[in-house]
Amino acid sequence: MSDALARTGLGEAGIWTFAFEGQPAGRVREVAAEIEELGYGALWCGEAFGRDSTGQAWLLLSATRRIVVASGIANIAFREPLTMAAAERTLGEAFPGRYLLGLGGHRVDGTVSEVDGYPVPARGKALSTMRRYLDSMDAAPAHGPVPDPAPRRVLAALGPKMLALAAERTWGAHPYFAPVGHTALAREAMGPDAFLGVEQAVVLDTDVDRAREVAAAHVASYVTRAPHQAANVRRLGFGEEGMASGRPSRRLVDAIVAYGDVDALHARVREHLDAGADHVCVQVLTEDPAELPLPQWRELAPALLGG
């Protein structure tokens, strides 16, 4: 574990989830507090069609005392750099050392109206867009208190150029929907010092056929609706692998999602760590995507947090 990782207190395992999106605020507070008590080092939340990323972070941080809360990711297409910089400073001041800002935004070349009905103007290519966005955040004037320590940032990086930018301009990278082989490539691309916190989807179910169905549905949803994710797995040698048909191959499903018992899921997390990850945030998948997987988080904690 790197010195920077130890100072930030993420530990080797955390939780990644969309599940808070549909839950009332009171329930979110209760569950966040329990996740902290279970010993997880970080709680990562995606941003989709529910709460605003920074609002969600405030809710989680205010309900906990120690755990790091990370945006995974805050979409740059949804807010201007000045707004993002102001929110980052506010959370960093209120909760010193506990907010980790993940930035990304693959919907930068057109609109997202086909997904959520909200048109976002075209912003150019992803790499140059992100570089300009970081420039604007860094240039945003601070008219109030400046947090100490400064909040950490990571980028939702997959390709070698974005990984290099992450290492150059931020604390590191937060790859999502990527196999263990990508973790090794990311570490090589960024060097030994940059933080690498990877997401790993899992299905905790000893009924292998049922678990594989849940895993396949998850993979299909990304390779058919997220072109950047499909492009990344092709770049990693998976070809089409049933992506166009929405029926991804077992090889691809098995590479992206770990499923089975606790030991099988723990083994996948160890593979990422051995490949160069500093931190692995586990996304528990269930048959009902709206389900809050608290029983699974409880069951996994002893294995994931015990080394």
Side-chain angles (χ1 to χ4, degrees):
M1 184 184 300
S2 67
D3 291 341
L5 182 64
R7 285 196 302 271
T8 305
L10 273 72
E12 290 183 338
I15 294 296
W16 198 107
T17 188
F18 274 127
F20 289 144
E21 296 275 85
Q23 300 293 324
R27 181 61 173 155
V28 172
R29 292 189 187 98
E30 292 173 2
V31 175
E34 180 170 347
I35 289 172
E36 180 173 66
E37 288 303 311
L38 287 170
Y40 290 104
L43 179 52
W44 299 72
C45 285
E47 182 175 40
F49 312 113
R51 293 185 181 90
D52 166 76
S53 178
T54 55
Q56 182 82 284
W58 188 283
L59 178 61
L60 295 167
L61 287 162
S62 65
T64 53
R65 295 173 290 110
R66 171 196 55 81
I67 197 168
V68 172
V69 172
S71 58
I73 48 79
N75 196 325
I76 66 171
F78 295 166
R79 49 187 71 80
E80 293 301 314
L82 288 175
T83 303
M84 190 72 259
E88 179 187 43
R89 289 192 189 114
T90 302
L91 289 167
E93 181 204 356
F95 306 97
R98 293 183 54 214
Y99 179 55
L100 176 57
L101 173 60
L103 291 169
H106 53 274
R107 293 177 278 184
V108 295
D109 290 318
T111 73
V112 295
S113 58
E114 71 279 6
V115 179
D116 59 16
Y118 180 74
V120 175
R123 294 174 182 265
K125 298 299 182 182
L127 187 70
S128 57
T129 296
M130 182 60 74
R131 190 180 293 277
R132 291 196 302 270
Y133 196 93
L134 293 171
D135 289 342
S136 296
M137 283 190 69
D138 289 344
H143 299 294
V146 176
D148 184 20
R152 302 279 188 174
R153 296 176 192 165
V154 294
L155 299 186
L158 292 174
K161 293 181 180 179
M162 192 67 78
L163 287 165
L165 181 66
E168 172 195 349
R169 295 290 303 274
T170 74
W171 191 38
H174 172 49
Y176 180 93
F177 196 81
V180 172
H182 181 271
T183 298
L185 293 173
R187 173 54 68 203
E188 182 179 359
M190 294 195 302
D193 298 326
F195 169 76
L196 181 57
V198 304
E199 176 269 350
Q200 174 61 58
V202 304
V203 183
L204 181 57
D205 191 340
T206 55
D207 184 326
V208 175
D209 291 336
R210 182 172 60 201
R212 190 179 296 124
E213 287 182 7
V214 173
H218 173 75
V219 173
S221 70
Y222 278 94
V223 297
T224 57
R225 297 178 59 188
H228 69 299
Q229 299 289 8
N232 186 55
V233 294
R234 289 190 187 99
R235 181 168 54 228
L236 294 171
F238 287 91
E240 285 302 317
E241 300 276 347
M243 286 187 276
S245 67
R247 299 179 63 183
S249 70
R250 178 172 173 177
R251 187 174 83 99
L252 178 57
V253 171
D254 289 359
I256 297 295
V257 183
Y259 52 88
D261 61 13
V262 169
D263 289 342
L265 308 191
H266 181 223
R268 179 67 64 87
V269 170
R270 290 302 328 168
E271 288 177 16
H272 279 291
L273 295 170
D274 291 343
D278 294 302
H279 175 82
V280 181
C281 41
V282 172
Q283 179 179 188
V284 173
L285 309 176
T286 62
E287 291 182 283
D288 179 3
E291 178 184 351
L292 194 65
L294 184 55
Q296 291 91 332
W297 293 336
R298 290 168 176 161
E299 188 174 352
L300 285 168
L304 297 184
L305 305 173

